[in-house]
Amino acid sequence: MPDKDFLEHITQLRETLERYSYAYHVLDAPIVPDAEYDRLYRELEAIEAKYPELITPTSLTQRVGDTPANAFSAVHHSIPMLSLANAMQESEVRAFDKRCAEALDLKEVCYSAELKFDGLAISLRYENGVLIQAATRGDGSTGEDVTANIRTIKSIPLQLYRSHQHPLPSVLEVRGEVLMFRDDFKKLNANQLVIGEKTFVNPRNAAAGSLRQLNPHITALRPLRFFAYGVGQLIAEPALTQNLQTHAALQDVLINLGFPVSKYRTVVRGVDAALAFFKEMSQTRETLPFDIDGVVYKVNNLLEQQKLGFVSRAPRWAIAHKFPAQEELTILRAIDVQVGRTGAITPVAKLEPVFVGGVTVSHATLHNEDEVLRKDLRIGDTVIVRRAGDVIPEVVAPVLERRPDNTLIWKMPSHCPCKLATPIVREPGETIARCSGGLACEAQRKQGILHFAQRRAMDIEGLGEKLVEQLLEAGLIQNIADLYLLNTAQLCTLNRMAEKSANNLVAQIEDSKTRSLSRLIFGLGIRHVGETTAKDLANHFSTLEAFLKADQADLLRVKDIGPVVADSIVNFFAQQENLNIIKNLIAHGVRPIHKALTDMSNPSNPFSNKIFVLTGTLSQMRREEAQAKIEAFGGKVSDSISKKTSALIAGEQAGSKLIKAQQLGVSIWDEAYFQQQLEPLLAKQNTN
Ligand code: 5U1
């Protein structure tokens, strides 16, 4: 039998491990290297193997047990798990606030404003400090017993933390949400594919599927997390509860007892401040590692909550203010194919228009043939469409329960939809099928011209898809070089082209002649030469002439360029047609800004080698123009703020990026200051 000192050692070991685990899983701030934690954990495991009588159910080693007989049996909630009334519009939130203020006879109500997690509501029951049961929400009165699975979630304490200030409650039900972080979800799905198991459509489904596993050993392998947000039944000595007057204070108690509570919560006075929190979180949402679908406002004062009471199953003192849905259902009407500038054939879903993520979506790329097969999408299916933030819309999966009998299976067409109808070929081992028509294929030429004219390349505003189709159809252009020969009279012969628009387009084309070298290189559409590679090439060669003269060996000397890209560039220039186009571009006056002109080494150039982030709306120029100018003068533009950012250029209505820049101490330029920095450089450029 182990002696007293040894027992003391085990207690110490368990406490130390718990502290380390809490720091790692709840605070996200590990205090020892993983190896040290593992060493102590193994020591505890070894002791428990030798003295099984010393194992306690709350020992860290006991998170994963066997499948219990009571798995998923019904659990009656001693206090119902309520649902929340939803508000989609600001007016509904204002009406909620008015109801609260009137019922409480207050001029202004204080709210706790929090995140609405897109996960699964769970109730955790602790008796005398020990987790004894975990249940899903179910219908609010009765849920399912998921204790064995919940015990595997490392951010959920198996026993409550003892503080010296308060005795532990004899009963505490903690209410919160189990979810999966987006990155963990992606890794899980990638792994599911590798092991030939079914993938999940979103983090919420992955979390639900993981909690519904019969085998807790499998759940233990799933990266589930938990956030606590409230309390159900609470039986505690007055010392713990008597000073507890607000919901925010209750959440602080939960933190002290060892629960993770999201730091994105605040107490606000009045509805306008609550709505400001909503706005802030709408912007922060994409930067969070997990999905949320809105925010929750709760009357903060617990006595006021009691006064307001409930209507049916929802409290009168709380409301969920929802973001526009990021996922909706719609019908897959057809699958068309799009021909890219390199002949790549991309299947595109034509959808019954649906409002999702704040915009109406009527089509979405399906990437390639295998993707359509893998997702088992059929024409006529009801499908889940997702649009999160600025990310392009995605068809996530079909809803199999709603599949009608008459759906059609899609097949990659055998011939290009272009006039020549050249065969579509998919080489063995390739994921992408291609039109074999080369530049003779009008569809490819159209895409090449659109690629050249796009904002990120030569930025020719107004040269859209329909217009390029018309120009090709009318024989006014064959390729990108021909754009520079167009005149107003020719353009006016086109259907629905008025003189003013024609003049504007000619001016835009003229203006594009002096875009930066990197934009021109990118615009040429050389396979494997994206924006970043184009910038590397422009920085290295400085002039178009030098770039054109480069051979394979010269190209391989460029930073980050390997044989695949070098070969692709060499092949591009080996084609006489491409050389002719470039010769004509130069002959028609295209003269990209040379690096020497912008004098990167000049200390008075505030853009050279600096990293900028743009936010808000600029009044003098579009964001793409601002980016083009910064890049032309040797700066870089990044999407996100970090310590490496040299300056944030903030226009009107700048949002979360401005807050982050302030937090990180990054310099902030307003539009006037930005213009002031640009002007001398632009003047210098014009005199060269
Ligand atoms: N953050 C948070 N989410 N959430 C969901 N708080 C919260 N409270 C809820 C629900 C259903 O219900 C209580 C207001 C009863």
Side-chain angles (χ1 to χ4, degrees):
M1 180 65 195
D3 65 14
K4 205 167 141 251
D5 283 353
F6 189 69
L7 290 177
E8 179 59 20
H9 173 67
I10 300 173
T11 309
Q12 287 275 324
L13 191 56
R14 285 194 177 128
E15 278 176 12
T16 307
L17 276 166
E18 254 159 39
R19 247 183 323 115
Y20 293 167
S21 172
Y22 175 77
Y24 187 92
H25 293 288
V26 180
L27 302 180
D28 267 336
I31 40 185
V32 286
D34 291 356
E36 171 65 3
Y37 179 86
D38 292 344
R39 191 184 65 74
L40 296 179
Y41 190 90
R42 281 195 302 272
E43 184 186 339
L44 180 61
E45 269 185 330
I47 296 172
E48 289 180 345
K50 193 164 171 198
Y51 303 107
E53 68 277 15
L54 297 182
I55 298 176
T56 62
T58 57
S59 172
L60 242 89
T61 57
Q62 303 303 303
R63 280 200 175 270
V64 190
D66 295 328
T67 308
N70 60 349
F72 305 124
S73 59
V75 173
H76 177 72
H77 297 299
S78 53
I79 293 192
M81 287 185 79
L82 301 171
S83 51
L84 284 169
N86 286 333
M88 299 305 299
Q89 313 287 342
E90 189 179 311
S91 56
E92 295 168 81
V93 177
R94 289 192 183 279
F96 158 77
D97 173 61
K98 195 160 170 251
R99 285 194 300 275
C100 292
E102 278 173 8
L104 296 170
D105 198 16
L106 289 173
K107 261 182 102 179
E108 238 176 8
V109 182
C110 275
Y111 297 103
S112 164
E114 306 162 17
L115 301 182
K116 182 158 189 323
F117 306 100
D118 198 4
L120 291 112
I122 293 289
S123 183
L124 308 173
R125 187 174 173 89
Y126 291 80
E127 286 181 5
N128 301 315
V130 175
L131 175 65
I132 57 128
Q133 193 169 57
T136 60
R137 179 176 180 282
D139 63 5
S141 308
T142 309
E144 285 180 326
D145 190 320
V146 284
T147 315
N149 289 343
I150 284 290
R151 283 176 63 95
T152 69
I153 301 175
K154 302 215 174 74
S155 52
I156 293 180
L158 295 179
Q159 59 186 327
L160 301 178
Y161 279 37
R162 274 169 204 284
S163 99
H164 297 298
Q165 294 159 327
H166 304 300
L168 286 179
S170 52
V171 174
L172 170 69
E173 279 177 3
V174 176
R175 304 274 162 92
E177 207 107 350
V178 167
L179 46 80
M180 198 177 278
F181 280 14
R182 280 195 286 267
D183 275 357
D184 291 334
F185 159 73
K186 282 187 201 142
K187 281 185 211 148
L188 171 65
N189 260 359
N191 193 47
Q192 293 287 101
L193 279 180
V194 170
I195 60 175
E197 289 287 331
K198 101 175 190 351
T199 53
F200 298 98
V201 292
N202 56 31
R204 189 181 188 284
N205 283 30
S210 304
L211 258 197
R212 291 202 53 80
Q213 283 292 335
L214 268 174
N215 180 352
H217 288 268
I218 296 182
T219 311
L221 297 173
R222 302 283 173 80
L224 294 174
R225 319 253 182 165
F226 177 75
F227 282 115
Y229 53 65
V231 162
Q233 194 177 20
L234 172 61
I235 306 176
E237 291 190 17
L240 181 74
T241 51
Q242 67 196 0
N243 290 325
L244 211 55
Q245 284 166 9
T246 63
H247 179 77
L250 191 66
Q251 292 188 328
D252 290 339
V253 169
L254 291 179
I255 293 176
N256 289 335
L257 290 170
F259 294 94
V261 175
S262 167
K263 65 176 180 189
Y264 293 95
R265 62 189 176 114
T266 183
V267 174
V268 293
R269 184 177 284 279
V271 68
D272 288 327
L275 291 167
F277 178 77
F278 176 82
K279 193 168 167 213
E280 193 190 332
M281 287 306 117
S282 316
Q283 287 165 347
T284 309
R285 179 184 195 188
E286 296 310 320
T287 68
L288 296 175
F290 48 84
D291 286 347
I292 55 171
D293 54 4
V295 301
V296 183
Y297 312 124
K298 298 172 188 166
V299 170
N300 191 34
N301 186 298
L302 297 177
L303 276 178
E304 288 172 7
Q305 285 188 3
Q306 261 184 29
K307 269 193 211 161
L308 287 161
F310 309 91
V311 265
S312 63
R313 300 213 146 264
R316 277 206 192 87
W317 42 265
I319 196 161
H321 190 178
K322 303 273 286 259
F323 297 134
Q326 290 189 319
E327 281 189 357
E328 282 293 352
L329 295 184
T330 191
I331 308 287
L332 177 60
R333 290 281 176 226
I335 298 181
D336 288 350
V337 293
Q338 209 172 49
V339 189
R341 64 174 202 280
T342 58
I345 306 283
T346 310
V348 177
K350 292 198 95 180
L351 304 162
E352 189 62 38
V354 60
F355 191 72
V356 54
V359 296
T360 301
V361 173
S362 52
H363 51 260
T365 175
L366 296 172
H367 304 288
N368 56 56
E369 196 177 358
D370 293 350
E371 185 83 350
V372 180
L373 278 177
R374 190 180 67 73
K375 289 185 172 165
D376 184 23
L377 295 170
R378 305 202 189 159
I379 297 157
D381 264 339
T382 295
V383 292
I384 303 170
V385 176
R386 179 173 172 82
R387 183 182 180 269
D390 291 335
V391 181
I392 55 166
E394 181 198 4
V395 178
V396 181
V399 182
L400 294 179
E401 302 87 84
R402 295 218 191 159
R403 174 166 283 170
D405 292 336
N406 57 352
T407 53
L408 290 177
I409 295 181
W410 175 81
K411 273 213 184 82
M412 177 62 85
S414 56
H415 290 82
C416 180
C418 72
K419 275 190 200 146
L420 295 178
T422 35
I424 290 176
V425 183
R426 184 172 165 192
E427 299 291 347
E430 285 272 329
T431 24
I432 304 290
R434 287 178 198 280
C435 157
S436 54
L439 281 178
C441 162
E442 204 167 278
Q444 285 187 46
R445 276 189 283 137
K446 177 178 105 180
Q447 294 300 334
I449 295 165
L450 285 169
H451 173 80
F452 180 78
Q454 67 169 299
R455 284 181 178 182
R456 285 152 54 209
M458 298 297 268
D459 194 16
I460 305 176
E461 211 188 337
L463 193 63
E465 187 161 352
K466 286 277 162 298
L467 187 52
V468 173
E469 271 170 20
Q470 279 183 295
L471 289 167
L472 284 166
E473 186 77 15
L476 290 178
I477 59 169
Q478 299 282 332
N479 58 47
I480 52 176
D482 297 340
L483 290 170
Y484 294 92
L485 293 176
L486 287 172
N487 59 41
T488 308
Q490 284 174 321
L491 290 172
C492 284
T493 63
L494 298 176
N495 220 357
R496 284 194 282 156
M497 174 64 83
E499 192 176 334
K500 194 167 166 223
S501 316
N503 276 332
N504 280 346
L505 183 61
V506 171
Q508 281 288 327
I509 295 174
E510 182 63 30
D511 195 41
S512 75
K513 287 180 177 173
T514 53
R515 296 279 182 258
S516 66
L517 177 58
S518 66
R519 282 173 171 264
L520 176 64
I521 295 176
F522 173 57
L524 291 176
I526 306 169
R527 215 168 150 199
H528 301 305
V529 178
E531 264 179 297
T532 309
T533 306
K535 280 175 194 163
D536 290 340
L537 289 163
N539 280 339
H540 185 92
F541 293 107
S542 297
T543 68
L544 180 60
E545 291 70 24
F547 174 53
L548 295 176
K549 276 194 210 134
D551 61 17
Q552 169 99 4
D554 297 330
L555 289 166
L556 285 172
R557 277 192 285 276
V558 181
K559 168 181 156 271
D560 292 340
I561 287 199
V564 174
V565 181
D567 275 352
S568 173
I569 298 171
V570 169
N571 285 340
F572 183 85
F573 290 120
Q575 290 174 42
Q576 191 55 44
E577 175 143 15
N578 291 334
L579 284 179
N580 289 345
I581 290 174
I582 290 174
K583 207 175 80 198
N584 287 337
L585 282 171
I586 298 169
H588 302 159
V590 174
R591 49 195 154 82
I593 300 173
H594 293 183
K595 198 175 163 191
L597 280 184
T598 56
D599 194 4
M600 300 311 153
S601 56
N602 181 348
S604 68
N605 174 348
F607 297 98
S608 169
N609 295 323
K610 300 270 168 46
I611 302 173
F612 295 84
V613 174
L614 291 158
T615 188
T617 315
L618 299 175
S619 64
Q620 299 296 313
M621 64 182 95
R622 287 178 299 125
R623 197 181 271 221
E624 292 73 22
E625 282 177 67
Q627 174 163 357
K629 295 209 155 81
I630 293 168
E631 288 169 357
F633 296 121
K636 277 198 177 148
V637 175
S638 157
D639 280 338
S640 53
I641 298 267
S642 73
K643 282 191 190 136
K644 287 191 190 151
T645 311
S646 314
L648 173 77
I649 298 171
E652 286 294 307
Q653 291 185 318
S656 56
K657 285 184 183 158
L658 181 58
I659 299 168
K660 188 146 185 222
Q662 283 162 341
Q663 282 166 350
L664 292 177
V666 168
S667 344
I668 294 162
W669 295 8
D670 63 11
E671 186 173 358
Y673 187 75
F674 173 48
Q675 287 285 8
Q676 220 179 326
Q677 303 305 305
L678 275 179
E679 262 152 31
L681 295 166
L682 290 169
K684 191 170 166 202
Q685 182 188 311
N686 289 336
T687 56
N688 272 284

